[in-house]
Amino acid sequence: MQREQLADFLRRRREAIHPAEVGIAVGTRRRTAGLRREEVAMLAGMSVDYVVRLEQGRSSQPSAQLLGALARALRLTDDERTHLFYLAGHLPPPADGVASLARSGLVRMLYLLSEHAAAMVLSDLGEILAQNRTSALLTGGLRDYTDDRRYMIYRWFTDPAARAIHPVAEQERHARHMVADLRATAGRRAGDPIVTGLVERLEAASEDFRRLWAEHEVAVRRDDQKTLVHPQVGPLLMDCETLVTPDQGQMLLVLTPADVESRDRLELLRVVGTEEFPADSITGGGHHRDFERPARDGGPAGRGPDRR
């Protein structure tokens, strides 16, 4: 771990970001060049004290999850993110279809959309890599999932609680869409052991998945309309648009209210939702559920119950 170089790099990247790039209003009395340390801490979901120690070269070695949080908070490019990992003594994450870090450009779009839509970045296998505040309030936020549970489709077919946000009448259609999308990914990444292994484990775990997989339906999800049922504000009818990167490795899913009633309910949720999902546990507009939240010594904090 190159502490002095890491400290200098983090400090310079923090000072190079304009607050407006991350959705922070600039007051007339602002004197700090770039972001303040407390703003980086807020965006990355970690303590201010730990950010200070990182920039002063006094911290313990940060984890890979924490580095991912910093990379997103500081809007690092792919090259800068790789450099960050090397400075911290870690190998950078693989640049493949199931990379654990959302692309910096997609994360920037999350923040631009944070006040108007729910948005999330997914891998081509449906692993949620990042989401904005509105998305976290709407769906319950992300957890630090491990193993196959990090894939939405695996949770859908193995955990009944994962379907609770969708009306029963829509669950079959949603399941078919997920399986058809996975089939398209499997065809595009033919022979990839990551994809074939996931399919095999799903077939072993779920009879419902085996039934739908055997029908060989193929469809890349681009646009859709679905109802999401929130325990506080009720059902919301949402239009869903998907923007896919040129290599089809990651996608930006954007959900906007499809009618006036849903728009009003989403606005209400932004006001009351933080009572159920604390502000320090969600992303976009300030805080990150999908980022590791270290304790005062930089270690990982615990996680709440699964609500997806």
Side-chain angles (χ1 to χ4, degrees), residues 25-237:
V26 180
T28 57
R29 298 182 179 179
R30 188 180 186 94
R31 298 178 181 178
T32 304
L35 296 178
R36 300 186 179 102
R37 285 169 172 167
E38 56 266 28
E39 290 167 341
V40 172
M42 176 184 68
L43 292 169
M46 61 186 65
S47 70
V48 178
D49 178 67
Y50 194 67
V51 173
V52 171
R53 284 188 282 133
L54 279 170
E55 289 196 1
Q56 293 178 348
R58 299 186 294 109
S59 72
S60 57
Q61 184 182 34
S63 68
Q65 291 85 357
L66 190 149
L67 293 173
L70 284 170
R72 289 185 286 255
L74 295 172
R75 304 299 186 269
L76 300 186
T77 65
D78 291 343
D79 290 338
E80 289 169 338
R81 183 187 66 188
T82 296
H83 184 62
L84 173 68
F85 272 75
Y86 281 134
L87 291 179
H90 287 280
L91 291 176
D96 58 22
V98 290
S100 60
L101 295 178
R103 294 189 178 187
S104 55
L106 295 182
V107 175
R108 290 190 185 99
M109 295 182 70
L110 285 182
Y111 285 91
L112 293 174
L113 293 165
S114 62
E115 294 302 320
H116 305 287
M120 61 184 72
V121 180
L122 302 97
S123 74
D124 62 350
L125 288 178
E127 178 185 4
I128 303 179
L129 306 178
Q131 65 182 155
N132 64 12
R133 177 178 182 272
T134 303
S135 172
L137 290 174
L138 185 60
T139 66
L142 299 175
R143 300 296 187 269
D144 188 16
Y145 291 119
T146 58
D147 301 322
D148 287 331
R149 282 178 53 78
R150 70 184 187 271
Y151 303 117
M152 294 175 65
I153 190 170
Y154 191 87
R155 297 199 304 277
W156 178 273
F157 284 102
T158 61
D159 182 2
R163 305 188 182 203
I165 196 172
H166 299 277
V168 174
E170 294 187 9
Q171 290 181 9
E172 173 71 10
R173 178 175 65 88
H174 189 55
R176 285 184 174 275
H177 285 180
M178 296 181 76
V179 173
D181 188 73
L182 178 59
R183 176 69 79 171
T185 300
R188 186 175 64 253
R189 295 172 58 178
D192 188 327
I194 295 175
V195 182
T196 56
L198 175 61
V199 171
E200 289 172 358
R201 291 188 295 275
L202 275 166
E203 288 184 307
S206 170
E207 180 180 352
D208 196 26
F209 176 83
R210 290 197 301 272
R211 172 180 63 85
L212 295 175
W213 187 255
E215 295 183 15
H216 209 124
E217 294 182 359
V218 182
V220 177
R221 286 192 289 181
R222 296 183 176 87
D223 57 12
D224 193 10
Q225 189 175 86
K226 65 181 67 175
T227 303
L228 301 179
V229 182
H230 193 277
Q232 288 181 291
V233 300
L236 299 94
L237 183 64

Side-chain angles (χ1 to χ4, degrees), residues 4-20:
E4 291 185 5
Q5 292 297 318
L6 176 64
D8 182 69
F9 180 64
L10 290 173
R11 183 173 59 253
R12 290 181 182 276
R13 291 309 309 146
R14 173 175 61 81
E15 294 173 350
I17 299 177
H18 193 277

